Amino acid sequence: MTTDDLSGMGPLVARLSRGGQRLRHADRTHPWVLDTSVVVLVFLMFCLPDLIHGGVDDGDSPHRFRVAFTHLPVAGMLVLQAGLVLPLLWRRRTPEVAFGVIAAVFVLQWSLGAALRADVALFVALYSLALHGRLRKLPWACAVMAGAMVLVAVRASSAVSVWDALFFLLSTATAALALGLMVRIRRAQLDGLRDRAARLEIERDQRSRLATATERTRVAREMHDIVGHNLSVIITLADAGAYAADIRPERGKEALQLIGDTGRQALGELRRVLGVLREAADGPRSGPELSPQPGTADVEALCAKVRAAGLEVFYRTSGGIDALDSGVQLTVYRIVQEALTNTLKHAAPDTRVHLAILVEDSRLTIRVQDTGPDASPGPPNEEGHGLVGMRERAALYGGTVSAGPAAGGGWSVEAVLDLTPGSGGER
């Protein structure tokens, strides 16, 4: 077969597949149509010739192949044919009953010495039993089938050797049985594949929903950090500017400039986060990012904004913090940002804040301690979203966050991250 022949089979196979699907759908909708069609087909092909010619005629056969069959009247022939063919109507609903009735009529017919072409119904019933019936009933059906074939072989022994007749009959029965089992196994495999495809589709949808929920949580955390911190700075600067407007107008002007700078920075970060959301929804963007993610290099600018809001911030580092990967740097920045925001919300204007970022081997420590009143984010035994967000970020790198009153007064936040490769969570 050439390549052209194979390529030309594609549309044919597709049409056959669509035709098979339509037939299966029609059969599920109207199952009685196929059952009736089988009965009609068997009657036209095997029963009608017997009614026309008066049964199986061996008069034209050579003498040594002639078998003495009993010639039945038309009424008796119709009764036996009905007993053989009509049970095929329920061969799929109750295949065991259909096979039993047909086998009983078959044995009765051959006990009378009559031969009918409608005997093919017994092989159809065996096929249906193998396909639709309970498998534990199959050995009994095979035993009944073998006994019926022995009866036929004995009746035909005057013309054909019993062993030759048995070989032919049992081979035919085996073929019907094997065909039914093969179709049954194939259908079970297809059902398994459909079930697996359905489960994979459900799992895909669940993974998609989980990824969406995770992304929403990440974006909510980013929005909380951006909006919460910058609004706290803006509110503090606005209060300070209003207070200084009458006493020192130049300080009020400086506060307004800082408010504008902080607002522009917050707007830029919000645009970046929303741009990432649009990129995820609409596909990759061709333009550059509005701004990179903040890192440890931006902590100093963060401290400067907090100083401008009225707090004293003392910032120190130890170790190679600039060599950290971007994910760790973003986590450090957000934890520091949240801690300073809580201090800005709850502490007095003259509060001192000591910030330290220390890198020692595979351990990174962030300490933020202020000298103001306790900056607890909520009532006792209740944690705010900020502290929860810090712990979630630290957990991505196998870290922990602890917060509470400092020994010498004020509030202390300490975060410890594990920098060992592969120790963090999935990110």
mmCIF file of all heavy atoms in Angstrom, residues 33 57 67 85 87 248 275 280 300 332 347 380 409:
data_model
loop_
_atom_site.group_PDB
_atom_site.id
_atom_site.type_symbol
_atom_site.label_atom_id
_atom_site.label_comp_id
_atom_site.label_asym_id
_atom_site.label_seq_id
_atom_site.Cartn_x
_atom_site.Cartn_y
_atom_site.Cartn_z
ATOM 1 N N VAL A 33 -34.533 -1.036 18.408
ATOM 2 C CA VAL A 33 -34.391 -1.038 16.951
ATOM 3 C C VAL A 33 -33.348 -2.071 16.521
ATOM 4 O O VAL A 33 -33.574 -2.868 15.601
ATOM 5 C CB VAL A 33 -34.016 0.366 16.444
ATOM 6 C CG1 VAL A 33 -33.737 0.340 14.939
ATOM 7 C CG2 VAL A 33 -35.147 1.352 16.748
ATOM 8 N N ASP A 57 -32.914 -29.771 2.745
ATOM 9 C CA ASP A 57 -33.138 -30.857 1.782
ATOM 10 C C ASP A 57 -31.790 -31.455 1.422
ATOM 11 O O ASP A 57 -30.897 -30.747 0.973
ATOM 12 C CB ASP A 57 -33.844 -30.319 0.545
ATOM 13 C CG ASP A 57 -34.243 -31.431 -0.414
ATOM 14 O OD1 ASP A 57 -34.100 -32.601 0.000
ATOM 15 O OD2 ASP A 57 -34.682 -31.107 -1.526
ATOM 16 N N VAL A 67 -28.171 -37.259 4.918
ATOM 17 C CA VAL A 67 -28.556 -37.479 6.310
ATOM 18 C C VAL A 67 -30.079 -37.514 6.350
ATOM 19 O O VAL A 67 -30.743 -36.668 5.751
ATOM 20 C CB VAL A 67 -28.022 -36.359 7.225
ATOM 21 C CG1 VAL A 67 -28.402 -36.621 8.675
ATOM 22 C CG2 VAL A 67 -26.512 -36.229 7.089
ATOM 23 N N VAL A 85 -35.553 -17.899 17.300
ATOM 24 C CA VAL A 85 -35.237 -16.532 16.853
ATOM 25 C C VAL A 85 -35.785 -15.471 17.805
ATOM 26 O O VAL A 85 -35.088 -14.487 18.119
ATOM 27 C CB VAL A 85 -35.770 -16.320 15.422
ATOM 28 C CG1 VAL A 85 -35.564 -14.878 14.979
ATOM 29 C CG2 VAL A 85 -35.092 -17.277 14.456
ATOM 30 N N PRO A 87 -36.252 -15.231 21.063
ATOM 31 C CA PRO A 87 -35.468 -14.875 22.261
ATOM 32 C C PRO A 87 -34.316 -13.918 21.986
ATOM 33 O O PRO A 87 -33.789 -13.303 22.924
ATOM 34 C CB PRO A 87 -34.962 -16.231 22.762
ATOM 35 C CG PRO A 87 -35.976 -17.214 22.280
ATOM 36 C CD PRO A 87 -36.392 -16.703 20.936
ATOM 37 N N ARG A 248 6.047 75.927 59.610
ATOM 38 C CA ARG A 248 7.173 75.909 58.666
ATOM 39 C C ARG A 248 6.639 75.516 57.291
ATOM 40 O O ARG A 248 6.578 74.330 56.953
ATOM 41 C CB ARG A 248 8.249 74.928 59.131
ATOM 42 C CG ARG A 248 8.848 75.276 60.496
ATOM 43 C CD ARG A 248 9.888 74.268 60.924
ATOM 44 N NE ARG A 248 11.017 74.236 60.001
ATOM 45 C CZ ARG A 248 12.044 73.382 60.097
ATOM 46 N NH1 ARG A 248 12.041 72.493 61.094
ATOM 47 N NH2 ARG A 248 13.029 73.409 59.222
ATOM 48 N N GLY A 275 -0.322 44.656 35.353
ATOM 49 C CA GLY A 275 0.214 44.251 34.043
ATOM 50 C C GLY A 275 0.532 42.778 33.990
ATOM 51 O O GLY A 275 0.315 42.118 32.978
ATOM 52 N N ALA A 280 -1.002 37.379 32.082
ATOM 53 C CA ALA A 280 -1.447 35.999 32.308
ATOM 54 C C ALA A 280 -2.759 35.719 31.609
ATOM 55 O O ALA A 280 -3.030 34.609 31.164
ATOM 56 C CB ALA A 280 -1.589 35.740 33.815
ATOM 57 N N GLU A 300 17.164 50.614 51.190
ATOM 58 C CA GLU A 300 17.627 51.923 51.640
ATOM 59 C C GLU A 300 16.631 53.023 51.260
ATOM 60 O O GLU A 300 16.325 53.924 52.066
ATOM 61 C CB GLU A 300 18.997 52.231 51.049
ATOM 62 C CG GLU A 300 19.604 53.550 51.515
ATOM 63 C CD GLU A 300 19.789 53.597 53.023
ATOM 64 O OE1 GLU A 300 20.303 52.612 53.594
ATOM 65 O OE2 GLU A 300 19.375 54.614 53.618
ATOM 66 N N VAL A 332 12.700 39.402 51.122
ATOM 67 C CA VAL A 332 13.315 40.256 52.141
ATOM 68 C C VAL A 332 12.706 41.653 52.097
ATOM 69 O O VAL A 332 12.348 42.237 53.138
ATOM 70 C CB VAL A 332 14.848 40.307 51.922
ATOM 71 C CG1 VAL A 332 15.481 41.361 52.829
ATOM 72 C CG2 VAL A 332 15.469 38.942 52.184
ATOM 73 N N ALA A 347 3.550 53.262 65.977
ATOM 74 C CA ALA A 347 4.545 53.882 66.839
ATOM 75 C C ALA A 347 4.405 55.398 66.835
ATOM 76 O O ALA A 347 3.775 55.991 65.955
ATOM 77 C CB ALA A 347 5.942 53.477 66.387
ATOM 78 N N PRO A 380 -5.284 40.686 71.203
ATOM 79 C CA PRO A 380 -4.552 39.495 71.604
ATOM 80 C C PRO A 380 -5.111 38.242 70.934
ATOM 81 O O PRO A 380 -6.311 38.104 70.750
ATOM 82 C CB PRO A 380 -4.757 39.461 73.139
ATOM 83 C CG PRO A 380 -5.055 40.880 73.516
ATOM 84 C CD PRO A 380 -5.784 41.464 72.357
ATOM 85 N N GLY A 409 11.408 47.122 75.593
ATOM 86 C CA GLY A 409 10.283 47.943 75.189
ATOM 87 C C GLY A 409 10.182 48.038 73.683
ATOM 88 O O GLY A 409 11.146 47.836 72.947
#
